[in-house]
Amino acid sequence: MGTVRRLLRLVPVLAVICGVLCIAVATGAGARAAGGLDTAAAALREGPVYVDPRARDVLSRAEADTLAGRIEKADRPVFVAVLPDTAEFPAATLLQDLRTKVGITGVYAVVLGDRFDAGADPAVMSRNAVENLTGAVRRSDPGDPAAMVAGFVEQALPQAGGHAPASWGGGSVGVGTGGGTGVLVALGLLVLVGGGGAVLVSRRARRRREEQDRARLDELRPVVDEDITAFGEELSRIGFDPGGATADDAMREDYTRALDAYDTAKTAMERAHAPGDVQQVSRALEEGRFALATLEARIEGGPLPERRPPCFFDPRHGPSVQDVPWTPDGGGAERTVPVCAADAARLKDGLEPMARQVDTPRGPRPYWEAGPAYAPWAQGYFGGGMLPGILVGTLLGSSLGGPFGGPFGGPGPYAYGGGPPDDQGGDYSGADFDPGDFGGGFGGGFGDGGGFGDGGGFGGN
């Protein structure tokens, strides 16, 4: 009898829930039928994949679940929308409008009918990388949008910066249905727990990311601290006196730039909370070392150095002086890397370069064989465009992916020492982004064309 009485007490609560769900059924179908881009954007704020009910033949529920699970496991801000080719999704502005309505910095992959295109905030992935990757999947799987979007996501995940949005604490996939099942479940949970569960999930997800960020940063910290210390020693070694009789304004300006870079690097490391923050330290040290090299040339009366990337084998060696062919240990394709004069001489004599060694579970190894933890540190020195190209076939290179912009003779999408902005993606930014920088763009696409648009869109194509 006690059990029966308890069940009877639940009847009013169940009646309220049923009423709410019935209202959702009545309104959800109409909202989804007429919602268009707003519905897609709302779904992507809650999970990485949205499939419009009219596009279920392109990506099944099982395929969407698998794709969403892969994205969430990678903890990257990669969004996928599968939409029908209808007037409510205008091709020329679709990517820009979707990014604006979702409002989260990330990579956006969109299927429109049987076509595919993608865009990304430069904080997450460079424009060149998006264009190269989009063109590659179009050429490899023409006419198969499901294969194109799956291939794009597979290769974009290891290249994308940032983290998954905290709002993804709920369901992974928003598959539009006439009954609005995902919305009904969410409403039911909200009725039962008063919204508290969603807040707790979001907080847990954020705490988990913060813990992961701290662990990765602790792994990087010894290497970055060594870099800062080495640069401080270089400042002391050069022994420049700004008030000396031989000092001129150009020398003092170089020295000031080096000191400022040293202070910037130290401050940035003190304030670092995540691995991505290390890029600012590396960029400052690269700038400072070039200023010191310029100052030293002025003091010695020699030619001023050319602005080049730092020595690939160890950025502490300072700016490179030439590009040389090099093949990593254990095989792999030969590639051209920038090197300092000392390493160029060693390679010419058949000796091993003086590579930067870092601690790994297998003992000290060159940084390019230490894995993805060192990617932010290396990207700060070499920028986002050239790094994947010179690291192809190495352990670190596998975490950066294949598509890259700019060979060694000129800068990639970022200037030497540049790298992506400090915002690493996955955070809410609303409509505050530059469509011209939102890589990928419509309008013929990249390589063989085939984009959504007709000459409009992000890239001004």
Side-chain angles (χ1 to χ4, degrees):
M1 290 296 294
T3 301
V4 173
R5 282 196 295 270
R6 283 194 293 272
L7 290 174
L8 288 174
R9 291 193 197 103
L10 289 175
V11 169
V13 176
L14 294 173
V16 171
I17 294 174
C18 288
V20 172
L21 296 180
C22 289
I23 293 171
V25 169
T27 60
R32 286 186 177 273
L37 205 57
D38 288 327
T39 300
L44 289 176
R45 285 193 291 270
E46 300 299 325
V49 179
Y50 170 75
V51 182
D52 187 282
R54 293 159 294 179
R56 289 182 209 153
D57 58 326
V58 175
L59 201 68
S60 69
R61 180 69 191 232
E63 291 170 328
D65 282 334
T66 300
L67 196 60
R70 197 168 296 160
I71 295 171
E72 290 192 332
K73 183 178 180 181
D75 190 30
R76 290 291 181 264
V78 176
F79 302 82
V80 174
V82 181
L83 309 171
D85 191 358
T86 63
E88 64 189 307
F89 301 114
T93 59
L94 179 55
L95 266 177
Q96 179 179 348
D97 291 345
L98 182 62
R99 165 63 178 86
T100 299
K101 288 179 178 291
V102 175
I104 299 174
T105 306
V107 179
Y108 289 75
V110 179
V111 169
L112 184 64
D114 60 356
R115 293 175 288 171
F116 173 78
D117 211 333
D121 292 273
V124 180
M125 185 181 290
S126 74
R127 184 182 183 89
N128 282 349
V130 175
E131 290 181 341
N132 291 345
L133 185 48
T134 301
V137 298
R138 285 178 186 159
R139 290 186 290 273
S140 62
D141 298 293
D144 188 346
M148 285 189 278
V149 74
F152 180 89
V153 170
E154 189 70 28
Q155 297 186 58
L157 287 175
Q159 300 178 62
H163 50 77
S167 59
W168 283 1
S172 300
V173 185
V175 180
T177 64
T181 305
V183 174
L184 300 183
V185 173
L187 284 172
L189 289 173
L190 287 173
V191 171
L192 289 173
V193 301
V199 173
L200 288 175
V201 168
S202 176
R203 287 178 178 173
R204 288 195 195 102
R206 186 173 293 278
R207 281 199 300 269
R208 184 175 66 251
R209 276 197 298 272
E210 290 173 351
E211 290 170 0
Q212 292 171 346
D213 283 345
R214 281 194 295 269
R216 296 191 194 108
L217 183 60
D218 287 342
E219 186 176 355
L220 274 173
R221 193 178 298 278
V223 173
V224 182
D225 288 342
E226 287 174 6
D227 281 9
I228 295 173
T229 300
F231 183 60
E233 292 171 350
E234 284 293 299
L235 277 168
S236 300
R237 179 193 61 80
I238 205 167
F240 176 69
D241 179 8
T246 59
D248 59 27
D249 289 342
M251 294 179 186
R252 282 187 282 268
E253 184 178 343
D254 290 334
Y255 189 63
T256 299
R257 282 171 51 212
L259 287 176
D260 289 345
Y262 184 49
D263 290 338
T264 297
K266 290 191 297 182
T267 302
M269 196 58 201
E270 289 169 0
R271 296 176 178 175
H273 296 291
D277 299 333
V278 168
Q279 288 190 43
Q280 186 178 354
V281 181
S282 300
R283 288 199 296 270
L285 293 175
E286 190 273 338
E287 174 70 24
R289 287 196 175 96
F290 178 73
L292 272 188
T294 304
L295 173 60
E296 197 159 19
R298 294 188 198 278
I299 293 173
E300 296 174 354
L304 298 183
E306 176 189 355
R307 186 60 188 267
R308 291 178 49 86
C311 178
F312 167 75
F313 296 114
D314 189 342
R316 294 177 300 180
H317 297 169
S320 59
V321 297
Q322 67 182 92
D323 300 332
V324 300
W326 170 74
T327 303
D329 288 339
E334 183 181 274
R335 76 286 317 272
T336 302
V337 297
V339 299
C340 64
D343 279 330
R346 291 179 65 85
L347 290 171
K348 185 177 180 180
D349 293 338
L351 303 174
E352 288 297 315
M354 296 180 288
R356 178 66 181 274
Q357 302 284 317
V358 298
D359 290 331
T360 74
R362 299 166 293 150
R365 301 288 299 168
Y367 74 86
W368 56 84
E369 292 298 341
Y374 293 89
W377 170 82
Q379 286 170 332
Y381 280 122
F382 298 102
M386 68 168 65
L387 193 58
I390 59 179
L391 292 175
V392 169
T394 68
L395 193 58
L396 177 55
S398 65
S399 72
L400 299 170
F404 57 96
F408 275 131
Y414 312 107
Y416 293 140
D422 293 335
D423 177 10
Q424 287 298 296
D427 297 318
Y428 184 79
S429 62
D432 185 14
F433 73 104
D434 182 356
D437 287 338
F438 198 73
F442 296 122
F446 177 78
D448 62 353
F452 295 157
D454 226 1
F458 291 116
N461 295 335

